[in-house]
Amino acid sequence: MTSTEKRKRGPRTKKDSKEKERKVNPDEIFDQMDQNHDGRISVHELVKAARLLGLSPTQKEAEQMIEDCNPREKGYVTRAEFRKLFESKEVDVDAQIEEMTSAFRVFDKDNSGTITRDEIISVLKLSGEKVDEAELEEIMASVDVDGDGKISIEEFAAVMCDI
């Protein structure tokens, strides 16, 4: 959006942000989580899906959710059952994206769009955390999925949704 377009739109109002809240399509989230395409998702995947929806159930709460809606198959929920659990949830998508982007920017000191090892070290030192080389290697190995030595916003978001 150009600055001219922004000026024409004027300031955002409370109504604008309410319009950004929308019902989430549970099928989209289910498809995202059902990576092996077996028509069901596990407790772990349910926790990740709930976090994408702005919720934060514990592992035990997710297990109970599955038990309540699918007592015959322990540890899994089908698409229809997932839909019943989440179809009425509303989420402010813009707020979630902004929150994720803000967290990413804390680390991306040079605004390059990626986070380097040095940037991680810098932020951890500023926060008083001591990190040794082995811990740093573990962080990079678990987050830097494509192995390019940098963490993209997509890689960062995937980890944040998995916490």
Side-chain angles (χ1 to χ4, degrees):
M1 177 179 299
T2 66
S3 59
T4 305
E5 289 171 321
K6 285 180 184 175
R7 279 193 302 261
K8 286 180 183 177
R9 286 182 69 205
R12 286 184 62 157
T13 65
K14 205 171 193 177
K15 182 182 176 200
D16 291 335
S17 55
K18 282 288 184 199
E19 288 173 2
K20 294 293 181 183
E21 284 186 18
R22 63 178 174 87
K23 287 194 175 182
V24 173
N25 182 343
D27 289 328
E28 289 175 19
I29 301 291
F30 185 90
D31 289 340
Q32 212 174 355
M33 293 301 122
D34 183 22
Q35 294 184 353
N36 65 356
H37 307 291
D38 67 353
R40 62 190 193 159
I41 60 173
S42 67
V43 172
H44 177 71
E45 292 165 327
L46 180 63
V47 170
K48 289 185 349 183
R51 289 197 175 123
L52 288 173
L53 294 166
L55 306 171
S56 55
T58 64
Q59 185 83 8
K60 284 214 177 287
E61 290 169 334
E63 288 170 3
Q64 188 60 53
M65 290 166 72
I66 288 177
E67 177 70 27
D68 291 346
C69 71
N70 188 0
R72 66 189 178 284
E73 189 175 1
K74 288 201 181 285
Y76 292 94
V77 64
T78 66
R79 176 185 302 275
E81 293 157 343
F82 181 82
R83 192 179 296 129
K84 285 178 191 172
L85 283 171
F86 294 109
E87 68 187 357
S88 65
K89 301 295 181 204
E90 290 187 353
V91 63
D92 186 342
V93 175
D94 282 352
Q96 287 185 349
I97 291 170
E98 182 58 35
E99 188 176 320
M100 189 73 64
T101 303
S102 293
F104 184 82
R105 284 187 197 134
V106 167
F107 288 91
D108 184 19
K109 296 292 186 189
D110 64 358
N111 296 316
S112 64
T114 59
I115 301 170
T116 64
R117 295 169 59 88
D118 290 340
E119 288 171 320
I120 293 171
I121 292 168
S122 173
V123 170
L124 291 176
K125 281 183 181 177
L126 282 174
S127 69
E129 292 286 325
K130 293 186 186 216
V131 63
D132 63 30
E133 191 61 32
E135 290 173 316
L136 188 56
E137 284 300 320
E138 187 178 324
I139 291 169
M140 291 302 290
S142 65
V143 181
D144 181 21
V145 177
D146 63 10
D148 67 354
K150 300 174 188 170
I151 299 170
S152 68
I153 185 74
E154 292 82 8
E155 291 167 327
F156 183 82
V159 168
M160 293 304 288
C161 289
D162 198 27
I163 292 176

